Amino acid sequence: MADLKIKVIIDGVEFTEWQLDRYEYERTLHCLHEFKYLGADVVYEGRSLSHEDINWLEPADAKKALVDLKVELGPDRVNQIMKPVSDDAELRWKAYNEEPIASQGYQFGTTEMEVTGIDMTKVAGGLGHLGDKDERFPFEIFPEHYGVEGEVETGQAIFEAFGMFGEPVHTYGVGSTKEIPADFPFQRDPAYPGVMFGELGLKSDGTNIHVGAIHEICPLPGGVKTKSTFFCPKNAPAAIPEGHKLHFALEMRGNFRSIYAAQQ
C-alpha cells in the first residue's frame, strides 16, 4: 500500500503507524485472553493455546488467531460465550443513563485523519458499511468488534466495546448521511461538507444509551479528510471517549485500507 498515506491526529498529536499497530496488538491479546477465560478454545495452527501461549503470539499471528476464532465460532456461539460480560455491560450503560441526558449532557472524543491515495467517490459508502464485506472484515479492522449485522443507513446491529475500555455491548442504530439533529449539542465544522450521524440504543430493548458517532468528511485531491467524533453520556467513565479516539483511528484506518485495496 505504498501509495496510500494515512495521517492520524488526536488532540493535536500525530500518531505513527508503529503506535497504532501496538495498540491493536495489545487489544488483540486482551480479547484472546478474555475468550479463553470465558471458556472458548483458542486455537492457532491446529493447537489449543494456553494463556501463556497467547502471550507468545507475534502480532500478525495473534490477529489471525482472533479473527479465525470469531469466524469459526459464529455469531450465536460468540454471543453465548460473551453473555456474562455483555449482560453486565448493558446494566452499566443503563446506569450511566439513569440521569436524563438533558441534565447530565455529553462528553466527546475526536479523531482527525487525512488520507491520500484513494478515490473519494468510494469513501462515503465505505465508512458505514461493515456488514456488506466478507465475514472476516469487521474483525480484521478492529479487535473489539464481536459482530455486525445490517447496514448503517437502514439499521445496523453492532456488538462491540467502546473506547478500548470495559466490555462489549449489543447495540442497534440507524445512521443519517444528511444532517445532525437540530437539538444535538454539536457544532459542525464548516470546512467539512459531508456528515454521517448515528446514535445507538440497546439491541435487547431499544433503550437509548446516548452513544454514537459523528463523521465529518471533506474531499481532497486524491483523498479525503475526516473528523470522527464519538459521544456518550457524561456519567459514563471518561476513559471511554478518550479510548474511542484510538478505536476510531484503528477502525477508520482499516476501512481506508479496504477502500484502497478495492480500487487496485
Side-chain angles (χ1 to χ4, degrees):
M1 296 189 178
D3 296 328
L4 177 67
K5 293 182 173 56
I6 302 175
K7 180 189 290 187
V8 175
I9 299 175
I10 299 173
D11 298 333
V13 176
E14 183 174 349
F15 280 68
T16 67
E17 284 289 299
W18 183 90
Q19 287 173 305
L20 295 175
D21 288 344
R22 186 68 197 184
Y23 285 121
E24 182 177 9
Y25 178 47
E26 289 172 0
R27 298 314 292 178
T28 298
L29 292 179
H30 163 79
C31 291
L32 287 169
H33 281 298
E34 182 156 57
F35 265 115
K36 182 160 185 66
Y37 168 76
L38 292 171
D41 183 17
V42 179
V43 176
Y44 185 68
E45 293 187 340
R47 184 168 67 93
S48 293
L49 303 183
S50 66
H51 285 288
E52 292 78 12
D53 292 330
I54 290 170
N55 284 336
W56 284 97
L57 290 173
E58 294 195 59
D61 298 330
K63 181 173 183 174
K64 185 176 186 305
L66 182 60
V67 174
D68 287 349
L69 177 65
K70 292 174 182 174
V71 171
E72 289 167 9
L73 288 172
D76 291 343
R77 182 68 178 133
V78 167
N79 292 345
Q80 180 185 13
I81 290 170
M82 300 299 295
K83 192 174 189 307
V85 295
S86 60
D87 284 353
D88 177 77
E90 186 165 307
L91 292 174
R92 292 174 190 267
W93 279 108
K94 287 184 175 182
Y96 302 148
N97 282 277
E98 285 180 357
E99 180 182 357
I101 196 68
S103 62
Q104 66 165 299
Y106 293 89
Q107 50 184 327
F108 299 88
T110 299
T111 303
E112 299 179 64
M113 302 183 76
E114 187 172 318
V115 184
T116 56
I118 61 173
D119 180 354
M120 178 57 199
T121 63
K122 297 182 180 180
V123 170
L127 295 185
H129 288 247
L130 297 182
D132 64 354
K133 317 265 185 195
D134 68 79
E135 61 182 346
R136 300 178 67 85
F137 178 77
F139 311 136
E140 287 176 339
I141 67 170
F142 188 66
E144 286 173 284
H145 285 158
Y146 293 84
V148 178
E149 299 174 16
E151 297 308 328
V152 67
E153 295 93 340
T154 56
Q156 189 170 68
I158 301 182
F159 184 25
E160 68 175 330
F162 296 115
M164 301 189 179
F165 182 87
E167 299 287 5
V169 65
H170 290 276
T171 62
Y172 182 84
V174 179
S176 170
T177 57
K178 296 180 180 179
E179 60 185 19
I180 298 171
D183 60 348
F184 190 80
F186 182 84
Q187 187 66 43
R188 282 285 312 278
D189 186 334
Y192 292 75
V195 66
M196 177 181 292
F197 173 92
E199 189 169 35
L200 299 172
L202 295 178
K203 186 181 177 184
S204 62
D205 61 12
T207 298
N208 188 347
I209 57 173
H210 302 288
V211 169
I214 304 158
H215 297 290
E216 297 178 280
I217 305 167
C218 175
L220 297 173
V224 66
K225 194 164 58 167
T226 63
K227 287 177 71 173
S228 297
T229 300
F230 173 83
F231 60 86
C232 68
K234 277 190 178 176
N235 289 344
I240 294 177
E242 282 298 310
H244 213 90
K245 298 172 188 178
L246 289 165
H247 180 139
F248 272 150
L250 295 177
E251 181 178 42
M252 298 284 282
R253 181 178 70 159
N255 260 309
F256 286 129
R257 286 174 171 175
S258 173
I259 293 167
Y260 177 83
Q263 69 186 36
Q264 299 308 299

